[in-house]
Amino acid sequence: VKYVNGYRCILCGAPWTIDGAEYTCPGCGGNLDVEYDYAVLKNVLTRDGLRASERFDIWRYAPLLPVADLRAVPPLQIGWTPLYRAGRLGKKIGLDGLFLKDDGRNPSASFKDRASAVALARAVETGAPLVTGASTGNAGSSAACLAASLGLPVVIFVPEAAPRAKIAQLLIFGARVLAVRGSYDQAFDLCLEATRRFGWYNRNTGFNPFTREGKKTCSLEICEQLQFEAPDRVFVPVGDGNIISGIWKGFRDFYALGLIDRLPRIVAVQSTRSAAVVKAVDRMVRRRGAPKPVPEGEAPPAILGQEIEVEPVRATTVADSISVDLPRDGAAAVRAVLESGGDAVAVEDEAILEAIRLLAREEGIFGEPAGVASLAGLLRLVEKGEVGRAETLVCLITGSGLKDIDSALKVAGTPTPVEPNFESARGVLEDLLKELQMQNGLDGNRRAV
Ligand SMILES: [Zn+2]
């Protein structure tokens, strides 16, 4: 870990060496943040160097990651996912600069592979005999997928009610799966206890400090994909708060290295049925006033996590990946919003399901409920008139819709039954044809290309 200075506690601010703390702050139990030697890294990671790089995965940013030896990393393609300009959807909702970062395109079909890759590389480096983790489904299936590619045994704790596709992924990748008769939060605590008792290597989100490092690579990619221009705002689905804290970290890293000239505002999006972070942000805003964007060229403010109170809720959202009672990286998530001058938005589950359909029909991207919460949050702000037409906006799509087809089927519609011969089918087909002609006639925008 050539360019790593050490850890800093997110809650109390105490510094630790990499060997002086394993997961959390030995002083206060807070989550740890990895700090880098930016002065040296400035000469290592440059725009020209990155433009010339032929490595198109997260390891193109290896100097900014706490991994010593690239021979220890999973051999699968992780990261460098597409950033699409959403022309059709943007037009429909009146936005000229809308982009979608499709992280369902990772090996296990979710954003979590970025985190698992870095955490598992660390496990291999330290000679861990076994990896464990608790998960709502995606982090676990990601750990199982990447561990399979490395030949590492994994034990995953998931709530019994996790979507079947995610359980199928876990099992088919060969993980030992413990279906906890309880919530994600209970699975998390049980996994921690097993880690303590048996000395396993733990990948848990918002506990293992390396998950945030993997997750930040998404922001580095966005900067490069926008030709080293930071977007105005980035919309992030929030459950545990670890993705959003990673997203903010990535932009701060590139800003500190002079690779981007300004910082984006980070918008946290949660379901109203799992809104612990939104509520914590609201309390902070009432106390300190609305956060302001970071002026170009200035350092972002540093808010100490111990000033932030995140209180648990009783999560019941359909978006299982962000269904969390107590966000495990909650303080860091609130900090990302406040330091960046961002926002925190809660949306109804119905709006999340509707966003699945809209995204699929306008852009051909199929996201899971949590994965499209970002878009639902953007739509909410558009409705309130709080988004400028010319803003550059990125919605993070964090997971594939195939992971939870039951939710998609709630808004997808139904197929039309038809007999297997033309004469019996004719009536149905003619009705269909009429309906399509009417729709296109009314739209009036169908033309030959
Ligand atoms: Zn501490």
Side-chain angles (χ1 to χ4, degrees), residues 8-14 16 24-32 306:
R8 189 168 299 277
C9 174
I10 283 174
L11 291 191
C12 74
W16 301 96
T24 51
C25 174
C28 77
N31 290 347
L32 296 174
Q306 62 194 15

Side-chain angles (χ1 to χ4, degrees), residues 132-137 155-163 167 170 176-194 200 204 328:
T132 189
S135 166
T136 59
V155 177
I156 302 292
F157 298 77
V158 283
E160 205 174 31
I167 305 268
L170 283 168
R176 302 307 297 264
V177 184
L178 296 160
V180 179
R181 297 200 180 99
S183 67
Y184 164 62
D185 294 74
Q186 290 170 310
F188 193 102
D189 289 334
L190 181 58
C191 178
L192 281 194
E193 191 58 31
W200 292 346
N204 278 12
R328 303 291 171 153

